[in-house]
Amino acid sequence: MTPLSRRDLLKLSAAGILGTSVSGWFNVLASRAAENRARHKSCILLWMDGGPSHKDTFDLRPGTAQGGPFQAIQTSVPAIRISEHLPRLAGQMQHAAIIRSMSTGEGAHGRAKYYLHTGYKEGVGGLNYPSLGSIAAMEIGNPSNPLPNYVSIGNRSYGSGFLGPRHQPLNVVSPARGVENLRPLVDSQQFHNRVGLLEELEQSFHRTHQAGTSLAHRTTYQRAVTLMQDRGARAFDLSTEPAPARAAYGNTVFSDGCLLARRLVETGVTFVEVTLAGWDTHQNNFNRVRTLSGQVDPAMSALINDLRQRGLLDTTLVIWMGEFGRTPRINNRGAQPGRDHYPRAWSSVLAGGGIRGGQVIGRTDAEAATVAERPVTTLDFMATVCRILGIDHNKLNQTPIGRPVRIVDRGANPITQLV
Amino acid sequence: MNSPQLAGAAALNRILNETKDPAQVLDKLFVAALSRRPTAQETQRYTQYVGQQANLRTGFSDVLWALLNSSEFGLNH
């Protein structure tokens, strides 16, 4: 029999040491600031991946040639009308503001997603920019929370860029399954014994090896153990949610994601992103938007409702947005009519977070094709969100080589009538 | 650290099939994981630890887990 080698063990643990990092939470826990900050606002970003059609959701033109078949319905705010396929959300417009004048310039998915997540165009300045979630986690996250302050559900999203690993998102692939590998394989007494043994080993090793990487390794394990033993981690277990409360959100991966987002915010997580993919409706736009609206409507309205009932709506900003809107003209290239990419004029929605709800910001023309009033650029939008969350968007952060970079680049003109 | 692969059951079985003497098992685990023999102090400490557990398997699987999750294993090449 061949003797057991270090290489064998390395092979065994390729899925262990490296596997843990793939599972999502390892890097997140790598290191987090130790200083204390007061608990600030939270944010839930409902990311409509692919670019939702503004003209078939929040900025309708019923009865016009290119308006499509959807009707606009009354909302709880008399002057505001939205799609008939968002009836529950319509009942909550008093908490929300629709920005109908988004104008963002990037019309390719990859570049537009990067731009709308980070506020910087991909590649500019040779830097990897942090996404909004990482910025929020760094600026207003509670560093002593055992849970990571940025969780991304259903999508890898965008990371922390030059802000470093401590602000990377924890990626949750499937909200119903929660965080993988969070439970020890052995019973809690034995796990406790093991951690004790490990701690002894580490102490003697660190007496002789005081390098940054070994400290980071040790910190990572300590954080992982803290998370595993923390009550807050139970937030990831959706099976503990009462069935009717869970059903109110719907019965999809996205609805579970929204529910998980609420549970995480309740435990003090700063930023949660939940992705609903499928909005790239070049073909079969109307049927697909109807189906997707049917997912958004119960989930987003239950989320707003739950947050309000728990007294968290004033401190939790909910954002509904994608990377761009869709063409005001209908394309008839395929068997079913579609709409194509359109960054020039589109809609996003903000709710809660202490904003003055029941408002519409900006306006598009008769075709919902160009911005007629108060264009909101990507910089304006990012600065607006920062303002609502209590982040100074002009703050300069340092890259690892000491280069100062503004949270939102110069030229931002935040919307003032929201807060 | 919680992955089934890291339980190292097969590796430990191989060693325990060869010997049940705690000092020898520890020698093999240390050489396999860290490319060094345990110090006298470590041998004493881990032998004592294993003796306190329900059985040899449990005790040594705890030691192996700790070795594989240690900074020395991960970083000291």
Side-chain angles (χ1 to χ4, degrees):
Chain A
M1 184 180 287
T2 46
L4 190 67
S5 71
R6 178 173 160 86
R7 177 165 298 172
D8 290 332
L9 288 178
L10 279 168
K11 268 189 268 176
L12 273 174
S13 76
I17 297 272
L18 302 174
T20 27
S21 59
V22 177
S23 83
W25 46 265
F26 192 87
N27 286 333
V28 185
L29 299 160
S31 55
R32 212 138 23 91
E35 77 265 40
N36 270 310
R37 292 195 198 92
R39 168 96 166 84
H40 288 274
K41 287 186 178 172
S42 293
C43 181
I44 298 172
L45 170 58
L46 306 179
W47 181 260
M48 302 295 114
D49 202 69
S53 171
H54 57 295
K55 218 171 163 176
D56 303 307
T57 50
F58 290 101
D59 197 7
L60 278 74
R61 294 294 183 275
T64 63
Q66 302 291 323
F70 296 172
Q71 295 305 309
I73 55 166
Q74 289 281 358
T75 68
S76 57
V77 180
I80 304 177
R81 296 168 77 87
I82 63 173
S83 158
E84 60 180 319
H85 302 297
L86 299 166
R88 289 184 228 196
L89 211 48
Q92 294 181 322
M93 281 317 294
Q94 72 274 23
H95 302 300
I98 304 173
I99 303 175
R100 284 188 173 147
S101 51
M102 299 288 289
S103 191
T104 51
E106 290 280 359
H109 293 292
R111 293 186 57 82
K113 284 182 213 183
Y114 189 93
Y115 198 26
L116 268 297
H117 272 89
T118 66
Y120 283 86
K121 295 199 177 190
E122 194 168 15
V124 168
L127 283 173
N128 188 6
Y129 294 94
S131 68
L132 189 57
S134 298
I135 293 168
M138 170 159 168
E139 300 298 330
I140 57 172
N142 173 6
S144 56
N145 186 358
L147 268 70
N149 273 314
Y150 174 16
V151 179
S152 180
I153 304 167
N155 183 5
R156 288 190 58 78
S157 185
Y158 291 83
S160 55
F162 63 76
L163 295 181
R166 77 167 68 157
H167 302 297
Q168 280 286 19
L170 161 64
N171 294 309
V172 177
V173 179
S174 154
R177 278 172 61 203
V179 182
E180 288 165 62
N181 298 347
L182 198 56
R183 229 180 284 279
L185 289 169
V186 294
D187 69 52
S188 59
Q189 179 57 48
Q190 197 184 351
F191 185 73
H192 181 79
N193 292 343
R194 286 180 167 190
V195 171
L197 268 187
L198 176 60
E199 192 47 36
E200 286 176 35
L201 252 178
E202 294 298 79
Q203 274 172 18
S204 58
F205 185 73
H206 288 280
R207 267 197 293 276
T208 50
H209 299 73
Q210 299 206 341
T213 41
S214 62
L215 281 173
H217 177 95
R218 190 176 176 192
T219 314
T220 302
Y221 270 86
Q222 285 167 339
R223 289 224 155 93
V225 170
T226 308
L227 176 58
M228 287 167 64
Q229 295 171 342
D230 185 71
R231 296 183 50 198
R234 288 185 206 158
F236 288 107
D237 186 1
L238 293 187
S239 67
T240 61
E241 186 77 16
R246 187 173 180 178
Y249 285 74
N251 184 24
T252 60
V253 174
F254 177 70
S255 68
D256 276 351
C258 289
L259 173 61
L260 178 54
R262 187 213 82 204
R263 292 168 60 93
L264 291 170
V265 165
E266 279 179 274
T267 66
V269 173
T270 302
F271 195 99
V272 185
E273 178 165 347
V274 190
T275 294
L276 175 61
W279 290 96
D280 195 18
T281 52
H282 294 283
Q283 306 290 333
N284 200 10
N285 173 73
F286 299 105
N287 288 328
R288 287 169 66 190
V289 170
R290 185 187 302 117
T291 306
L292 289 163
S293 298
Q295 292 194 42
V296 167
D297 190 49
M300 188 170 170
S301 54
L303 176 62
I304 292 172
N305 200 36
D306 273 8
L307 289 171
R308 192 173 53 78
Q309 282 180 0
R310 286 162 173 75
L312 289 168
L313 188 58
D314 278 350
T315 54
T316 307
L317 176 67
V318 179
I319 306 174
W320 180 97
M321 72 187 293
E323 62 263 40
F324 38 61
R326 303 203 79 81
T327 43
R329 301 190 79 80
I330 296 166
N331 84 52
N332 285 300
R333 290 190 305 269
Q336 301 273 358
R339 294 191 194 268
D340 305 318
H341 303 182
Y342 200 72
R344 190 195 291 177
W346 55 284
S347 303
S348 66
V349 179
L350 307 177
I355 65 166
R356 282 199 289 279
Q359 297 192 69
V360 172
I361 308 294
R363 188 168 58 81
T364 53
D365 65 10
E367 295 291 318
T370 58
V371 172
E373 194 183 301
R374 198 352 174 163
V376 175
T377 65
T378 305
L379 296 183
D380 299 343
F381 182 81
M382 294 294 281
T384 301
V385 170
C386 284
R387 220 179 128 99
I388 296 168
L389 295 178
I391 298 168
D392 173 10
H393 66 88
N394 283 314
K395 185 188 163 199
L396 295 168
N397 277 326
Q398 304 271 323
T399 70
I401 57 161
R403 179 168 151 192
V405 177
R406 235 168 258 274
I407 288 184
V408 179
D409 209 356
R410 275 177 210 277
N413 180 15
I415 300 166
T416 51
Q417 60 265 51
L418 289 172
V419 279
Chain B
M1 102 198 236
N2 294 327
S3 63
Q5 289 91 336
L6 255 189
L12 189 59
N13 282 340
R14 264 162 73 177
I15 293 174
L16 287 177
N17 280 340
E18 290 170 33
T19 174
K20 299 248 182 329
D21 174 57
Q24 284 187 25
V25 177
L26 281 174
D27 264 13
K28 286 177 189 291
L29 287 178
F30 266 73
V31 169
L34 306 180
S35 297
R36 68 172 175 87
R37 288 182 192 288
T39 62
Q41 205 183 359
E42 283 167 336
T43 303
Q44 191 201 352
R45 169 70 185 106
Y46 293 123
T47 307
Q48 179 211 353
Y49 175 88
V50 171
Q52 289 164 345
Q53 306 309 311
N55 55 58
L56 281 183
R57 269 209 111 265
T58 306
F60 282 119
S61 70
D62 291 351
V63 173
L64 180 58
W65 181 91
L67 291 176
L68 293 185
N69 283 288
S70 69
S71 297
E72 188 171 354
F73 177 75
L75 303 171
N76 205 21
H77 307 291

